[in-house]
């Protein structure tokens, strides 16, 4: 255990204290009167935080598109002439999550190559959408390879289902298994899952 953190936290609450712990699942309100109560609460609280399972589910294409367009005016080109903007931007986002959020679990969902059940239900689904830029198409296999080989992060692809379907399903199942679930995407459609 990190006793220096515990000690500093304990000293912060030197007299009777009210502590609020807010989570997506509950709010806890506790009044602690004695130093022993405070010490025990803080040590148990730290233990619970360390035991907490936290999963991040990333929507690959949404984040790759965002990264690509973020560098549109100043693209990143490597020595071989390959535009690596989408790769760099996505990797920066991934590194930020790993460094600052410390997930216990993580997965990156990609859309499948072929049609999904929505295309079968409605033939004109996404028919008005522009074609994927060549730079993005070139970067996707590199991203998958990087995730699996360099980061050892699972790539999630389910034939017939888009990444947001996979993420939504996993989020609900993982929540029931006690995970704190984070869905990472710039796609506003995810609002209906919250």
């Amino acid at each position: 255990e990190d006793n220096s953190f515990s000690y500093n936290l304990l000293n912060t609450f030197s007299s009777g204290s009210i502590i609020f712990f807010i989570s997506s699942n509950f709010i806890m309100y506790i009044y602690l009167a004695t130093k022993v109560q405070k010490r025990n609460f803080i040590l148990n609280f730290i233990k619970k935080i360390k035991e907490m399972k936290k999963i991040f589910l990333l929507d690959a294409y949404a984040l790759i598109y965002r990264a690509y367009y973020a560098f549109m005016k100043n693209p990143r080109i490597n020595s071989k002439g390959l535009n690596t903007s989408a790769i760099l931007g996505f990797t920066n986002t991934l590194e930020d999550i790993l460094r600052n959020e410390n997930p216990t679990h993580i997965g990156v969902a990609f859309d499948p190559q072929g049609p999904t059940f929505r295309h079968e239900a409605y033939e004109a689904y996404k028919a008005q959408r522009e074609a994927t830029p060549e730079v993005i198409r070139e970067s996707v296999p590199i991203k998958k390879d990087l995730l699996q080989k360099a980061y050892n992060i699972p790539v999630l692809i389910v034939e017939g289902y888009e990444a947001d379907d996979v993420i939504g399903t996993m989020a609900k199942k993982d929540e029931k298994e006690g995970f704190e679930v984070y869905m990472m995407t710039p796609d506003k459609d995810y609002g209906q899952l919250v």
Side-chain angles (χ1 to χ4, degrees):
E1 293 181 29
D2 186 349
N3 291 326
S4 63
F5 176 72
S6 303
Y7 179 77
N8 289 334
L9 195 56
L10 187 59
N11 284 340
T12 304
F13 302 108
S14 57
S15 60
S17 306
I18 297 173
I19 295 177
F20 292 93
F21 174 68
I22 301 172
S23 168
S24 63
N25 299 329
F26 64 93
I27 297 176
M28 184 169 58
Y29 161 79
I30 298 177
Y31 178 78
L32 303 170
T34 69
K35 198 164 188 163
V36 172
Q37 285 178 319
K38 292 174 204 168
R39 181 182 183 283
N40 290 338
F41 172 80
I42 292 166
L43 292 176
N44 287 330
F45 179 73
I46 291 168
K47 183 179 176 186
K48 291 282 186 202
I49 288 174
K50 288 181 178 180
E51 292 172 357
M52 199 179 293
K53 298 185 294 184
K54 182 163 51 165
I55 186 167
F56 273 75
L57 301 168
L58 283 64
D59 184 340
Y61 278 105
L63 294 168
I64 289 170
Y65 265 86
R66 184 184 72 173
Y68 169 73
Y69 286 106
F71 288 106
M72 183 63 90
K73 291 184 179 179
N74 191 14
R76 304 300 191 234
I77 310 295
N78 71 9
S79 61
K80 296 176 183 170
L82 178 67
N83 184 333
T84 60
S85 299
I87 298 165
L88 174 67
F90 182 88
T91 304
N92 285 345
T93 299
L94 180 63
E95 282 289 330
D96 186 51
I97 292 167
L98 295 173
R99 185 175 33 258
N100 297 322
E101 300 298 333
N102 300 312
T104 57
H105 298 75
I106 189 166
V108 180
F110 284 82
D111 293 331
Q113 291 293 322
T116 67
F117 74 93
R118 287 188 181 90
H119 293 98
E120 293 169 12
Y122 179 62
E123 215 171 291
Y125 179 67
K126 293 190 178 180
Q128 304 300 325
R129 187 169 282 188
E130 292 180 26
T132 303
E134 185 64 29
V135 171
I136 291 177
R137 269 189 268 134
E138 289 173 354
S139 69
V140 168
I142 297 168
K143 273 311 319 163
K144 287 179 183 176
D145 205 36
L146 187 66
L147 286 165
Q148 292 172 320
K149 292 180 180 173
Y151 287 97
N152 197 29
I153 292 175
V155 169
L156 312 169
I157 302 172
V158 179
E159 294 303 321
Y161 294 91
E162 293 180 351
D164 52 356
D165 300 314
V166 174
I167 290 173
T169 302
M170 287 187 68
K172 291 297 183 187
K173 288 176 78 176
D174 292 341
E175 181 183 38
K176 287 177 184 172
E177 292 179 23
F179 281 89
E180 193 76 29
V181 179
Y182 296 87
M183 298 176 289
M184 181 95 177
T185 182
D187 187 342
K188 292 180 180 72
D189 289 345
Y190 278 75
Q192 61 193 312
L193 296 171
V194 178

